[in-house]
Amino acid sequence: MTQSAVSPDRRQVVTPTRVIAGICLIAPFVAMLWVSSYARIEPTLIGIPFFYWYQMAWVLISTVLTMIAYKLVQREQRARMGGGSK
């Protein structure tokens, strides 16, 4: 038989940090798939209907949440490897 590709000390573990990172990555999908929450015109922002500026705001929010998730996972991996944090 062949050995598993993942050694026992290198298993992927569900930690609170990874759960938070997952929530950060799932939040934009939930926000965009729940169309009835933003399918309206009011309130407008600089004359732009809510339907459009809400979606554009989520582009920026998604960028920030993805960056946060990346940094959380990166910091956790460094800690598991025994390296210092930057």
Side-chain angles (χ1 to χ4, degrees):
M1 279 206 207
T2 62
Q3 283 185 328
S4 174
V6 178
S7 64
D9 60 338
R10 300 277 301 170
R11 287 183 308 193
Q12 296 296 321
V13 180
V14 177
T15 62
T17 302
R18 290 184 184 215
V19 171
I20 292 169
I23 291 170
C24 287
L25 296 174
I26 290 174
F29 289 105
V30 172
M32 290 293 94
L33 289 175
W34 188 18
V35 178
S36 63
S37 70
Y38 63 92
R40 58 181 184 257
I41 295 173
E42 296 293 329
T44 59
L45 179 70
I46 315 170
I48 301 170
F50 181 73
F51 181 78
Y52 296 114
W53 70 257
Y54 178 83
Q55 292 177 63
M56 291 286 87
W58 270 102
V59 170
L60 300 174
I61 294 167
S62 297
T63 303
V64 171
L65 289 174
T66 302
M67 183 178 62
I68 290 169
Y70 174 75
K71 291 295 185 182
L72 286 171
V73 171
Q74 185 181 39
R75 182 176 56 171
E76 180 186 346
Q77 286 178 343
R78 268 199 306 262
R80 290 183 77 184
M81 293 294 196
S85 62
K86 288 185 178 180

